Amino acid sequence: MDKPQLPAGFGIAGVTSMRERIETLVQNLDKTIVGKSNSIRLVLVALFSGGHALLEDVPGVGKTLLAKSLARCIDGRFQRIQCTPDLLPTDVTGTNIWNPNSGEFQFLPGPVFANILLADEINRATPRTQSALLEVMEEHQVTLDGLSRPVPAPFFVIATQNPVEYQGTFPLPEAQMDRFALSFSLGYPTEGEELSMLQRLGGGVSPHDIQPCITLDEVMALRAECARVTVEESLQHYILDLVRATRTHSDITLGVSPRGSVAFYKAIQALAYLEGRSYAIPDDAKQLAPHVLAHRLIPAGHHRPQRLVADLLETTPIP
């Protein structure tokens, strides 16, 4: 992946320093995640667009390593939830416990009170527990016993699920899938990349070796800068044409929601910013459409969502 170049005069104060920090962020992730430049870019798009990421991948390809490395790079608090059928909603959000010393209930925060939350094998949790993430992913707060508590900012969820093994799993409902801005997979490494992994054993870089290169406040500032990226009206219509086509396609039972339109728009802005532009182009939308739209679709019959999105990209006129 080409190193992100922020255009001169565009961005928050100290644009040169910020450009260097973003480059360092990418370089640090490249040190721990071998050969996954596109996946690194996508996870940064999700982070800087203010959304969340769903990784649908087989075990052992570096999903946890990616989440830990990202948390270390931004000097954020990392928490991991291993989802299992016996996991309770309060194991996610936290609960009130009785404190005999004070004679009152005391709130014990759950793992969602973090900056980077890894929900591993999220589809192994029951629907009741899965729903515990709905409010916090959208509203960035947890409500318990009538009291709402905000989670730290930024708050970013990386959830994983195995796309092959479905025994003992609970498919995520449409409302939960819609909370994820992007969905993608890391995939198996190439032979050369896997050889590089083996050669790094014993002398490689672990997440603990990474030095933070961007602060949490700067992540929030970068999100604000991404929101300032220009999306011309013609490109806005192209975004809506793609989204609305999913609602009328004969092979799609359920199309993309308005929340999906907003996520698509914000992701395009973030990608343009990471590519060093103050404006978005149609290629940004074409690159992100499979990752933003496909997991939000319910296809009819045995059609694959990715194939349907590819068809829409071929048939929808480009501005």
Side-chain angles (χ1 to χ4, degrees), residues 187-254:
Y188 286 120
T190 65
E191 182 178 356
E193 292 166 352
E194 200 158 7
L195 176 61
S196 178
M197 289 172 52
L198 297 179
Q199 292 173 343
R200 289 188 184 187
L201 292 177
V205 177
S206 72
H208 299 291
D209 299 324
I210 295 176
Q211 295 299 315
C213 51
I214 290 183
T215 67
L216 298 177
D217 288 340
E218 287 169 340
V219 171
M220 299 303 294
L222 281 167
R223 286 183 173 183
E225 286 302 305
C226 289
R228 293 171 53 190
V229 170
T230 300
V231 181
E232 295 292 344
E233 186 173 351
S234 59
L235 182 52
Q236 294 176 13
H237 284 293
Y238 180 58
I239 293 170
L240 291 180
D241 287 344
L242 287 171
V243 169
R244 296 182 70 84
T246 66
R247 303 170 188 169
T248 58
H249 198 288
S250 59
D251 293 328
I252 299 177
T253 302
L254 181 67

Side-chain angles (χ1 to χ4, degrees), residues 92-199:
V92 176
T93 61
T95 187
N96 287 317
I97 60 173
W98 179 256
N99 188 332
N101 295 326
S102 62
E104 58 185 15
F105 283 97
Q106 178 181 343
F107 180 67
L108 183 64
V112 294
F113 288 86
N115 299 114
I116 305 291
L117 174 67
L118 175 66
D120 207 6
E121 295 187 299
I122 189 173
N123 56 337
R124 293 200 179 277
T126 62
R128 181 185 177 192
T129 301
Q130 291 174 5
S131 67
L133 285 170
L134 288 176
E135 179 189 14
V136 69
M137 290 178 68
E138 185 71 16
E139 306 295 336
H140 294 182
Q141 67 179 23
V142 169
T143 301
L144 186 67
D145 295 339
L147 181 62
S148 296
R149 296 178 174 85
V151 295
F155 175 69
F156 181 52
V157 175
I158 299 178
T160 75
Q161 60 179 3
N162 188 338
V164 177
E165 178 56 63
Y166 291 108
Q167 185 174 2
T169 63
F170 303 87
L172 296 179
E174 294 78 15
Q176 184 77 60
M177 294 293 283
D178 209 24
R179 276 1 187 235
F180 293 101
L182 278 77
S183 175
F184 57 95
S185 65
L186 299 182
Y188 286 120
T190 65
E191 182 178 356
E193 292 166 352
E194 200 158 7
L195 176 61
S196 178
M197 289 172 52
L198 297 179
Q199 292 173 343

Side-chain angles (χ1 to χ4, degrees), residues 1 5 17 33 44 55 60 62 81 152 170-171 175 193 207 219 262 276 291 308 312-313 317:
M1 181 182 72
Q5 298 292 320
S17 175
I33 309 297
L44 292 181
L55 304 187
I81 303 173
F170 303 87
E193 292 166 352
V219 171
V262 173
H291 306 293
L308 292 172
L312 291 176
L313 289 172

